[in-house]
Amino acid sequence: MSSVRHNVTGARRAVAAGFLLPALVLLGALVVYPIGYSVQRSFFDRSGDSFAGLDNYVELFTDDTILTAVENNAIWVVFAPTVATALGLIFAVLTERVRWGTAFKLIVFMPMAISMLAAGIIFRLVYEQDPDRGVANAVWVGVHDTFAESSVFPKARPLPVHPLKATGDGGYVTKSPVRAGEPALLPLVGVPPAQMPQGARPAVRPGAEPGGITGTAWLDFTRGGGGRPNAVDPKELGLKGLRVEAVKDGKVVASATAGADGSFRLPAAAEGALLRLPESNFREQYNGVHWLGPSLVTPAVIGSYVWMWAGFAMVLIAAGLAAVPRELLEAARVDGANEWQVFRRVTVPLLAPVLAVVLVTLMINVLKVFDLVFIIAPGSAQDDANVLALQLYRSSFGTDADLGVGSAIAVLLLLLVLPVMAFNIRRMRREGRR
């Protein structure tokens, strides 16, 4: 009887081993062997022929480029999972009671269906410096121009021979005082005709006005040529909106704005004053934020990551929120707690296991981030946006490849992931025992 039981047990073990063998072979070939080879290769030099000891690991903490990657990875691990999880929690709670919550969750989760490559291309365009092409700067410039007045003629300037001289602060002033009965002429060039203000009309030389100052500010340029310098020609347009100030002893005594035909009029108080075109007429237009510059490139790339993964966090948290006992929430409200207190003291503690799963998953994920940084960060800022996975690629491939350093970076990434994985496994086992 015992021999029969022994044979049955042996047969079961053999069957179990047969089923496990393919998985073990794949695990060894795809996981164990690459890890072992990477660890071994990290102790050899660039060629792989000479033993280098810990030299490759020392370089990880002495090379400035790799140190930047380590620092950026620390920023990623701290901020990206935290922000994505917080947004997911807010979206899940706020959309729980609205009828269109499911549609909103679908929209927020949709970026998860996009590959990292596609998301990188999208956000490379979003962060384009030109406001006419980049959405981020288009919005930023629109908000800025709502509260700050933009210049009318940012590149306008006088001709080499002209009645104006530079003031030193970006503006211009007439070389001689103006007199009543002598129209002031303020010719400028440097404004493309296509960028002239809408409604600008052909310039008109004003007549003399007793007791006052008259003048014309115009674009001293005739399409096709033939115009005379410092003279109002029939086809030349007035500089509509140009601000003109009359200055005496350093003080502005009168001001005017040029009309559609470039003409302006000043009161008698401007007699004997110098006419100044303030620098506000010529200030360069605000062109937005340099999102992909050295100082903002890492936060910009993290923003694209949060856009992709906030939906993932929201879906998991929403599933956990659906399992929260409603009677506990209602009991808290009956006891006089407001919605913020219910959220902070009841909802969040009950969701703590789910939040831990999301946070740990995203922490492991950001340690391996590569695609977004490689695609979004331009070549000039890639060193500033560098992360360990990208540095691993740069060190291991190309004409200046050093597989020893690349393998050391791979081992470092493994060592950084292991504590997070160990924490996750312990938490799962603790949850399983409850």
Side-chain angles (χ1 to χ4, degrees), residues 332-372:
R333 294 186 180 100
V334 169
D335 288 341
N338 57 37
E339 291 300 322
W340 167 246
Q341 291 172 326
V342 171
F343 172 75
R344 186 166 61 93
R345 298 183 178 275
V346 181
T347 304
V348 172
L350 291 175
L351 289 176
V354 178
L355 296 177
V357 170
V358 174
L359 200 60
V360 170
T361 302
L362 294 181
M363 288 176 66
I364 295 173
N365 186 268
V366 299
L367 285 171
K368 304 180 295 180
V369 69
F370 164 79
D371 319 57
L372 289 176

Side-chain angles (χ1 to χ4, degrees), residues 185-188 203 216-220 230-233 236-239:
L185 301 180
L186 305 177
L188 295 173
T216 299
W218 80 100
L219 179 63
D220 196 9
N230 299 325
V232 179
D233 295 304
E236 295 174 347
L237 298 176
L239 296 174

Side-chain angles (χ1 to χ4, degrees), residues 81-94 104 108 303 306-307 309-311 313-314 317:
T82 304
V83 175
T85 303
L87 283 178
L89 175 61
I90 293 171
F91 290 154
V93 172
L94 293 182
F104 178 82
V108 175
V306 170
W307 176 77
W309 288 87
M314 178 195 64
I317 295 171

Side-chain angles (χ1 to χ4, degrees), residues 134-147:
V135 175
N137 266 341
V139 174
W140 194 269
V141 170
V143 173
H144 175 274
D145 289 348
T146 301
F147 298 99

Side-chain angles (χ1 to χ4, degrees), residues 273-309:
L274 295 175
L275 297 188
R276 182 175 66 187
L277 305 180
E279 59 85 23
S280 59
N281 290 312
F282 314 108
R283 192 167 43 237
E284 288 286 342
Q285 291 182 340
Y286 184 67
N287 202 37
V289 177
H290 194 189
W291 298 103
L292 300 182
S295 58
L296 289 179
V297 62
T298 295
V301 180
I302 290 176
S304 66
Y305 178 89
V306 170
W307 176 77
M308 287 193 67
W309 288 87

